[in-house]
Amino acid sequence: MKMPLRLLSGLLILWGLVSCSQPLWLNDDDVIPVGSRVEFYIWHDHPAKPKKAGWRESNIHIASLQRPMTGEEARHWAEGVGVRDAGMAWTHYYVLVTPPKPEGRQIRSAMYPRPAVVVSSK
């Protein structure tokens, strides 16, 4: 079955628009290249003002990664600094990576729940 040229070119344009506007998916075993910007976003719960609840960019980030890092390491980094330093009431997070140019296309992790804080009883 032959696909009409107009339909084929329309599908290619649509695929190009979708693929350029959506970040790629970051898996645990993916390697983040040196020089990448690593950020994490948190789901901020605001019980007193439900309309203010939503995704917020954390002010904690890695401006330029100094060594290669896996997606799993980036996730653990985000959990650690988020629990320790984020300060807001948040329940979920994801990691967003922007590789250095010319690649520069953002890569996003899945959404993960906030890790439980373990209190030591010494």
Side-chain angles (χ1 to χ4, degrees):
M1 182 173 145
K2 275 185 143 177
M3 190 177 286
L5 184 58
R6 180 176 280 181
L7 177 60
L8 181 60
S9 62
L11 289 173
L12 286 172
I13 290 170
L14 180 62
W15 176 80
L17 289 172
V18 170
S19 66
C20 290
S21 64
Q22 297 295 318
L24 298 173
W25 203 250
L26 178 67
N27 297 304
D28 279 354
D29 57 347
D30 291 339
V31 177
I32 302 168
V34 172
S36 296
R37 181 177 179 85
V38 182
E39 304 167 273
F40 78 104
Y41 284 73
I42 56 175
W43 178 262
H44 174 54
D45 289 335
H46 206 299
K49 299 176 186 172
K51 288 185 179 181
K52 289 197 169 204
W55 286 108
R56 304 277 189 264
E57 180 180 0
S58 171
N59 61 352
I60 304 162
H61 63 275
I62 300 171
S64 180
L65 194 60
Q66 297 299 305
R67 64 166 182 81
M69 179 185 278
T70 66
E72 182 178 20
E73 287 177 299
R75 205 167 37 82
H76 291 301
W77 164 80
E79 289 173 358
V81 296
V83 168
R84 196 172 53 245
D85 300 326
M88 291 190 255
W90 60 277
T91 59
H92 293 80
Y93 74 97
Y94 67 86
V95 176
L96 185 68
V97 174
T98 305
K101 293 192 179 343
E103 190 177 331
R105 195 159 162 219
Q106 291 182 322
I107 307 165
R108 188 195 143 171
S109 75
M111 181 181 68
Y112 299 100
R114 180 182 181 148
V117 178
V118 178
V119 179
S120 177
S121 58
K122 287 186 179 183

